[in-house]
C-alpha cells in the first residue's frame, strides 16, 4: 500500500461557531481557534478541518455560502484566516477547508442575478423547472423536509434545492459553474490550504429530467435519485485534472448515497477523483425507512459489518475515513457508548476503536473530552434548521410532540454543536457572554481544564492513543481482519502489516464478558487498555478495550 501523509494523518474537526469566542458576542471565531492552537497541537493531531467560515446568512450555519472568497467578519474576516493558516503551518499543522459546491446561499450574487429574468447570464447557474398546475414539478422531498422546489415569482417557475429553500442547487452541467468552483479551489489552494472536505459532493450531478422517485425508503431515494448522478465521475475527474492534481491536497468527499456499491468509484487510486469519502452507513444505522427521526434499535453486528465490508472494499485500491461523529450527528459517546455509568470508560473504548481501524481518523471537537448529547427542555432552545424543520413536519403530521421532543434529544444535530467545554466557569469558558446555543449543563464535570492534568482523563487517553497510532504504522496500513463477527458484545480484529500483528478487542457492552475465542491468548501480550484492570487475558470489564501484540 502506497504511503501518503493524508493516510497517516489524524484530523481534528472544528465547528468554529462553537469552539471559542474571543469577541464576547457568543459566537466562536477564528481568533478563538488561534488561541487554542497549542491545545490542538498537544492532541498530537496533524490536520485541522474547519467547517465553513465564509460569508453566509447562516441559515444552515455557514453551509449556505454567499461569497466563496470572503471569510465572514463574524469569524474575523480574511486577515484572521490568513493568520490562522500561517500560525498553523508554523506549528506543523495542516488546514483543511470545507468546500460547499453543491449549492450556494440564495443571497449569493449568482442566485440574486439568476432569479431576475429567464435571460439573465446567471440563470443557468441553477436548476429551474416549470409546472403546468403551479404545483411542485416532482415528488422529491428535501433532505431537511418539504418539497425540493421553491417558486420564483419573477420568472414564474421553480428552482431546485435539495436542502433548505435558502440553499439553491448549482447546475454543474453548466461549464461556467464548474470553472467558477475550480477557481474557488485554486484561490484557497494558492493561499496554501492543505485540502478540502467537499460537502455533499455526491449530489452535484443531477438527473436532467428530474423523474419522480418510486421509493418510500428515504435512503433509496437519495441513493438513486439525488446522489451518484450520471456525470458525477466526469465532474470529479475534471476537477481533479484541472485543479486538485496541481497541488498536494488532501480531499475527502462527503456523500449521502455513497455506499458499498459505488464507494470505490469515488476513491480508487487509478481513477483520479478523491482521496477518500465519508459514507454514512454506520451513521444511519439507527434510522428506519423514513429517515433519522424514524429511530430503530442499534445492533452491534450491523455496526461491525459496516466496518468489515468497507475495509474489504477499500483494500481493492482505495482509502477510507474513520469517524464516529461530526457536527451533523449526536455525540458519539451518547450514541455508540454509554454516557451515564460508563461514560469515561466507553469514551475511551470508542477512542481506541477509532484509532485502531484502517483509514484516516477524524476526531470531532469535544469528543476528546467525552462531550455528551444535550437534552434541552423545549424546542425553542434548539437552533438547527434540520431539527426545526423536522419538528414542523411532525406537528403537521399530528405526531405526539412530547414523544417527538425525546427523539430530538436523541437525534438533533445541536447535540454536537453545543459550545466547547473549556472549564467550569460561566459559559464553560467558551465565551464571556451568552452563547448562541446553550452550553450543556454537564460542563462543570466534563471540561478540558479538569482533564488536562489528570493522567487518567479521556483527554489524556486520546493524546496517548493518537501518539500510539502514529508510532505504529501497522495501525494505519496493516491488514484488517475481523474476528468472531457475530458476537453480540465483542468487536475484535487483527491488524497485521506482515511484520507485526496487533489484536484489538472491545467489549462494547455494559456487562463483564469473557471472550471465548479460537485465538490463543498466550500468543499475545497486552499493551494497552482503557481501565485500571490488570487482567491480561480475554476477560473484559464493561466497556473495556484491550490492545495486544503478537509475541
Ligand atoms: O451534510 C449533508 C448531509 O447529508 C446531512 O444532511 C446529513 O444527512 C444530516 O445532517 C444528518 O442529520 C452536509 C453538512 O455536513 C451539513 O451540515 C449541511 O447542513 C448539509 O451538508 C448541507 O450543506
Amino acid at each position: 500500500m502506497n504511503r501518503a501523509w493524508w493516510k497517516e494523518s489524524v484530523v481534528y474537526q472544528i465547528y468554529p461557531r462553537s469552539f471559542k469566542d474571543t469577541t464576547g458576542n457568543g459566537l466562536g471565531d477564528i481568533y478563538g481557534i488561534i488561541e487554542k492552537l497549542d491545545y490542538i497541537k498537544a492532541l498530537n493531531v496533524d490536520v485541522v478541518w474547519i467547517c465553513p467560515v465564509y460569508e453566509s446568512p447562516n441559515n444552515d450555519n455557514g453551509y449556505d455560502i454567499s461569497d466563496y472568497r470572503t471569510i465572514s467578519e463574524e469569524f474575523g474576516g480574511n486577515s484572521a484566516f490568513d493568520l490562522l493558516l500561517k500560525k498553523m503551518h508554523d506549528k506543523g499543522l495542516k488546514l483543511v477547508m470545507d468546500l460547499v459546491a453543491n449549492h450556494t446561499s440564495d443571497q449569493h450574487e449568482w442566485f440574486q442575478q439568476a432569479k431576475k429574468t429567464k435571460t439573465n447570464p446567471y440563470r443557468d447557474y441553477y436548476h429551474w423547472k416549470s409546472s403546468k398546475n403551479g404545483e411542485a414539478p416532482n415528488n422529491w422531498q428535501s433532505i431537511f423536509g418539504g418539497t425540493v422546489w421553491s417558486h420564483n415569482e419573477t420568472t414564474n417557475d421553480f428552482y431546485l434545492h435539495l436542502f433548505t429553500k435558502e440553499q439553491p442547487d448549482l447546475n454543474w452541467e453548466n461549464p461556467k459553474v464548474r470553472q467558477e468552483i475550480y477557481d474557488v479551489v485554486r484561490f484557497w489552494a494558492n493561499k496554501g490550504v492543505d485540502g478540502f472536505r467537499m460537502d455533499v459532493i455526491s449530489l452535484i450531478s443531477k438527473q436532467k429530467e428530474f423523474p419522480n422517485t418510486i421509493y418510500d425508503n428515504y435512503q433509496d431515494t437519495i441513493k438513486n435519485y439525488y446522489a451518484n448522478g450520471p456525470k458525477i465521475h466526469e465532474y470529479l475527474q475534471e476537477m481533479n485534472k484541472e485543479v486538485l492534481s496541481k497541488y498536494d491536497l488532501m480531499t475527502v468527499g462527503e456523500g449521502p448515497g455513497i455506499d458499498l456499491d459505488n464507494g470505490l468509484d469515488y476513491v480508487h487510486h487509478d481513477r483520479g477523483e478523491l482521496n477518500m469519502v465519508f459514507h454514512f452507513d454506520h451513521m444511519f444505522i439507527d434510522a428506519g425507512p423514513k429517515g433519522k427521526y424514524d429511530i430503530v434499535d442499534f445492533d452491534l453486528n450491523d455496526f461491525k459489518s459496516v466496518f468489515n465490508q468497507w475495509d474489504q472494499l477499500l483494500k481493492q485500491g482505495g482509502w477510507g475515513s474513520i469517524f464516529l461523529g461530526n457536527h451533523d450527528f449526536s455525540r458519539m459517546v451518547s450514541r455508540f457508548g454509554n454516557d451515564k455509568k460508563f461514560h469515561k470508560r466507553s469514551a475511551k473504548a470508542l477512542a481506541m476503536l477509532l484509532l485502531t481501524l484502517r483509514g484516516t481518523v477524524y476526531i470531532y471537537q469535544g469528543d476528546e473530552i467525552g462531550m455528551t448529547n444535550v437534552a434541552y427542555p423545549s424546542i425553542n432552545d434548539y437552533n438547527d434548521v434540520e431539527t426545526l424543520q423536522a419538528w414542523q413536519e411532525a406537528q403537521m403530521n399530528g405526531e405526539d410532540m412530547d414523544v417527538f421532543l425525546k427523539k430530538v434529544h436523541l437525534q438533533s444535530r445541536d447535540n454536537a454543536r453545543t459550545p466547547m467545554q473549556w472549564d467550569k466557569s460561566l459559559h464553560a469558558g467558551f465565551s464571556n457572554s451568552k452563547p448562541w446555543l446553550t452550553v450543556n449543563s454537564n460542563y462543570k464535570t466534563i471540561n478540558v481544564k479538569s482533564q488536562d492534568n489528570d493522567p487518567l482523563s479521556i483527554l489524556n487517553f486520546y493524546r496517548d492513543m493518537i501518539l500510539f497510532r502514529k508510532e505504529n504504522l501497522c495501525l494505519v496500513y496493516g491488514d484488517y481482519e475481523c474476528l468472531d463477527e457475530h458476537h453480540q458484545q465483542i468487536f475484535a480484529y487483527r491488524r497485521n502489516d506482515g511484520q507485526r500483528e496487533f489484536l484489538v478487542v472491545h467489549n462494547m457492552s455494559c456487562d463483564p464478558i469473557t471472550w471465548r475465542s479460537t485465538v490463543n491468548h498466550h500468543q499475545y501480550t497486552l499493551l494497552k487498555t482503557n481501565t485500571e484492570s490488570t487482567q491480561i487475558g480475554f476477560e473484559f470489564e464493561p466497556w473495556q478495550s484491550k490492545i495486544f501484540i503478537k509475541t
Side-chain angles (χ1 to χ4, degrees):
M1 202 165 270
N2 294 334
R3 288 184 64 172
W5 65 264
W6 47 266
K7 293 181 179 171
E8 292 169 27
S9 290
V10 175
V11 183
Y12 185 65
Q13 181 195 350
I14 290 184
Y15 196 68
R17 177 170 285 262
S18 300
F19 194 61
K20 171 73 190 166
D21 171 22
T22 59
T23 63
N25 66 354
L27 287 176
D29 49 63
I30 289 175
Y31 288 106
I33 304 177
I34 293 174
E35 194 183 301
K36 297 295 181 186
L37 282 180
D38 286 337
Y39 170 77
I40 295 166
K41 184 73 190 170
L43 285 172
N44 301 318
V45 299
D46 315 271
V47 176
V48 176
W49 148 33
I50 51 171
C51 285
V53 283
Y54 312 92
E55 208 171 86
S56 162
N58 289 311
N59 193 266
D60 185 17
N61 288 351
Y63 283 95
D64 46 330
I65 297 173
S66 52
D67 182 346
Y68 285 103
R69 289 181 178 76
T70 307
I71 302 295
S72 136
E73 279 306 319
E74 267 181 357
F75 283 127
N78 284 47
S79 55
F81 181 84
D82 293 346
L83 186 65
L84 173 69
L85 186 59
K86 178 172 183 317
K87 294 224 170 206
M88 281 186 52
H89 284 168
D90 287 348
K91 287 187 187 295
L93 289 166
K94 290 188 156 71
L95 177 58
V96 164
M97 287 188 99
D98 224 302
L99 178 75
V100 188
N102 174 67
H103 45 268
T104 66
S105 158
D106 63 345
Q107 301 305 307
H108 194 291
E109 181 58 22
W110 302 338
F111 190 73
Q112 289 296 311
Q113 289 291 333
K115 69 179 199 181
K116 282 185 182 162
T117 61
K118 288 192 174 174
T119 53
N120 189 285
Y122 288 94
R123 165 96 179 167
D124 285 342
Y125 273 45
Y126 297 89
H127 297 280
W128 300 93
K129 208 155 164 66
S130 42
S131 78
K132 288 192 196 93
N133 46 14
E135 281 173 14
N138 73 6
N139 67 354
W140 292 12
Q141 291 292 299
S142 146
I143 290 175
F144 292 159
T147 169
V148 298
W149 299 101
S150 279
H151 190 248
N152 180 44
E153 272 183 25
T154 47
T155 52
N156 190 26
D157 53 6
F158 294 82
Y159 64 90
L160 175 82
H161 51 88
L162 292 178
F163 294 89
T164 68
K165 66 180 190 324
E166 291 83 7
Q167 292 166 295
D169 281 50
L170 282 167
N171 175 15
W172 277 65
E173 288 276 334
N174 181 349
K176 283 196 209 138
V177 166
R178 304 205 297 276
Q179 288 308 322
E180 296 267 19
I181 297 297
Y182 304 161
D183 266 354
V184 169
V185 174
R186 265 180 219 115
F187 176 84
W188 293 105
N190 288 339
K191 267 189 188 265
V193 310
D194 303 286
F196 295 92
R197 174 269 190 189
M198 301 186 183
D199 191 62
V200 291
I201 203 70
S202 53
L203 306 183
I204 57 177
S205 163
K206 310 293 194 261
Q207 301 189 20
K208 259 186 166 167
E209 301 305 322
F210 299 106
N212 278 327
T213 170
I214 55 163
Y215 296 107
D216 277 343
N217 184 321
Y218 197 55
Q219 288 302 332
D220 287 338
T221 293
I222 292 185
K223 178 181 172 185
N224 296 297
Y225 289 89
Y226 305 175
N228 314 308
K231 296 196 178 159
I232 178 71
H233 297 294
E234 184 183 319
Y235 298 155
L236 289 175
Q237 283 167 21
E238 183 183 83
M239 171 154 60
N240 189 300
K241 196 158 152 249
E242 289 196 21
V243 214
L244 301 175
S245 60
K246 313 266 193 262
Y247 304 86
D248 181 20
L249 294 170
M250 151 176 165
T251 54
V252 50
E254 190 225 20
I258 295 182
D259 65 12
L260 293 161
D261 297 337
N262 54 41
L264 200 56
D265 295 343
Y266 284 86
V267 298
H268 194 285
H269 50 59
D270 288 345
R271 291 175 60 94
E273 297 190 18
L274 300 169
N275 293 152
M276 38 193 158
V277 289
F278 290 125
H279 69 79
F280 296 131
D281 285 353
H282 56 309
M283 301 305 275
F284 284 123
I285 207 157
D286 52 0
K290 300 215 171 336
K292 70 185 278 191
Y293 284 96
D294 175 17
I295 304 173
V296 299
D297 283 345
F298 169 84
D299 180 333
L300 182 65
N301 271 303
D302 294 345
F303 183 76
K304 289 195 279 187
S305 151
V306 170
F307 290 96
N308 301 345
Q309 295 191 61
W310 271 93
D311 190 81
Q312 293 277 321
L313 180 79
L314 293 174
K315 75 177 184 198
Q316 295 167 40
W319 190 252
S321 27
I322 303 294
F323 71 106
L324 292 172
N326 63 30
H327 63 293
D328 288 336
F329 293 91
S330 40
R331 283 284 174 184
M332 70 183 224
V333 69
S334 303
R335 195 166 186 209
F336 302 118
N338 176 293
D339 63 6
K340 304 211 162 51
K341 189 165 174 205
F342 299 110
H343 171 251
K344 190 166 168 179
R345 222 190 260 183
S346 67
K348 289 182 183 178
L350 293 171
M352 245 182 181
L353 175 66
L354 269 176
L355 288 153
T356 52
L357 288 170
R358 176 153 61 182
T360 298
V361 177
Y362 294 78
I363 296 166
Y364 180 61
Q365 75 178 42
D367 284 342
E368 77 277 20
I369 54 168
M371 279 177 64
T372 68
N373 280 355
V374 71
Y376 297 129
S378 150
I379 190 66
N380 300 326
D381 300 316
Y382 285 85
N383 168 281
D384 168 35
V385 65
E386 180 188 79
T387 309
L388 300 179
Q389 287 206 12
W391 181 268
Q392 261 185 12
E393 222 165 86
Q395 249 173 349
M396 276 180 348
N397 296 339
E399 288 195 37
D400 177 335
M401 297 316 282
D402 290 334
V403 173
F404 200 78
L405 187 63
K406 296 212 167 66
K407 292 190 188 175
V408 167
H409 290 166
L410 289 175
Q411 295 291 60
S412 170
R413 304 197 296 182
D414 283 338
N415 281 314
R417 299 176 180 187
T418 61
M420 181 72 184
Q421 294 165 203
W422 294 105
D423 58 42
K424 63 177 184 346
S425 68
L426 186 65
H427 308 313
F430 161 73
S431 169
N432 53 26
S433 67
K434 191 173 178 299
W436 70 280
L437 189 66
T438 309
V439 171
N440 192 317
S441 59
N442 62 20
Y443 72 93
K444 288 196 176 147
T445 46
I446 302 176
N447 63 65
V448 170
K449 192 155 180 222
S450 68
Q451 297 191 22
D452 197 19
N453 294 316
D454 169 4
L456 297 179
S457 67
I458 300 168
L459 177 59
N460 278 311
F461 191 80
Y462 265 92
R463 289 170 174 157
D464 179 59
M465 270 305 302
I466 296 170
L467 214 56
F468 183 71
R469 180 181 178 88
K470 302 181 79 62
E471 284 165 356
N472 292 286
L473 281 184
C474 173
L475 292 174
V476 176
Y477 295 109
D479 274 344
Y480 163 92
E481 181 202 354
C482 188
L483 304 165
D484 211 349
E485 239 179 289
H486 300 293
H487 198 294
Q488 289 292 340
Q489 288 95 8
I490 293 283
F491 191 171
Y493 42 90
R494 288 193 181 108
R495 301 295 314 277
N496 188 323
D497 65 358
Q499 281 159 12
R500 291 203 295 166
E501 182 180 304
F502 289 100
L503 169 68
V504 188
V505 187
H506 312 276
N507 173 9
M508 293 185 69
S509 83
C510 297
D511 305 314
I513 304 247
T514 299
W515 184 38
R516 300 190 196 290
S517 161
T518 50
V519 178
N520 176 359
H521 80 77
H522 296 297
Q523 292 180 341
Y524 292 88
T525 305
L526 180 66
L527 285 184
K528 270 185 188 301
T529 179
N530 60 336
T531 77
E532 281 153 75
S533 143
T534 49
Q535 211 284 331
I536 54 164
F538 290 167
E539 267 143 44
F540 290 83
E541 297 179 314
W543 286 102
Q544 184 174 18
S545 294
K546 295 183 181 183
I547 303 180
F548 304 88
I549 189 151
K550 192 164 188 182
T551 41

